[in-house]
Amino acid sequence: MKIAPIVEAMKQARGLQGLLVHTGQHYGDGMSDVFFRDLGIPVPDVHLGVGSGSHAEQTARIMVEFEKVCLQEKPDLVLVVGDVNSTMACTIVAAKLLITGGSCRGRFAQF
């Protein structure tokens, strides 16, 4: 849910090219689809489809798949939202690839 206003602001920003990545940590209608639909969040540009598993399995799959996206897309900034396995995994990948990272939790943003 936190991503909705961020995506909207990114649409309005000149010269900003964003890529929306959905890890698939939360999936199905009740945990994912409903938020995209009801909040008007666009379909993700990339869906990693990691699904369920133990915390370690899920985090590892996210890291492997997100690293592929980062190596291909070469982003200047990775912005993560929330405080779940996906947040940690993507932050670690960005840090290890020396990509500037930012996080948004609730009403707080940090870079």
Side-chain angles (χ1 to χ4, degrees):
M1 291 188 292
K2 296 171 193 76
I3 198 71
I6 296 169
V7 169
E8 189 57 37
M10 288 173 57
K11 287 181 195 175
Q12 306 301 321
R14 288 188 182 187
L16 182 65
Q17 183 180 10
L19 185 74
L20 181 59
V21 178
H22 187 326
T23 64
Q25 174 180 341
H26 296 109
Y27 53 91
D29 189 62
M31 288 296 290
S32 176
D33 300 344
V34 67
F35 298 113
F36 282 85
R37 185 177 55 248
D38 291 356
L39 297 175
I41 303 169
V43 174
D45 299 295
V46 177
H47 194 293
L48 302 181
V50 299
S52 63
S54 71
H55 291 292
E57 292 168 331
Q58 194 176 60
T59 301
R61 283 196 302 268
I62 293 165
M63 289 179 70
V64 168
E65 295 306 315
F66 187 63
E67 181 182 56
K68 292 175 188 176
V69 172
C70 288
L71 291 172
Q72 179 178 331
E73 297 295 330
K74 298 176 178 45
D76 295 318
L77 171 73
V78 169
L79 178 64
V80 296
V81 297
D83 57 0
V84 295
N85 292 343
S86 295
T87 310
M88 176 183 63
C90 293
T91 299
I92 291 170
V93 168
K96 293 295 184 180
L97 293 176
L98 303 177
I99 300 168
T100 300
S103 66
C104 179
R105 293 177 39 211
R107 295 181 181 156
F108 178 73
Q110 179 177 331
F111 293 94

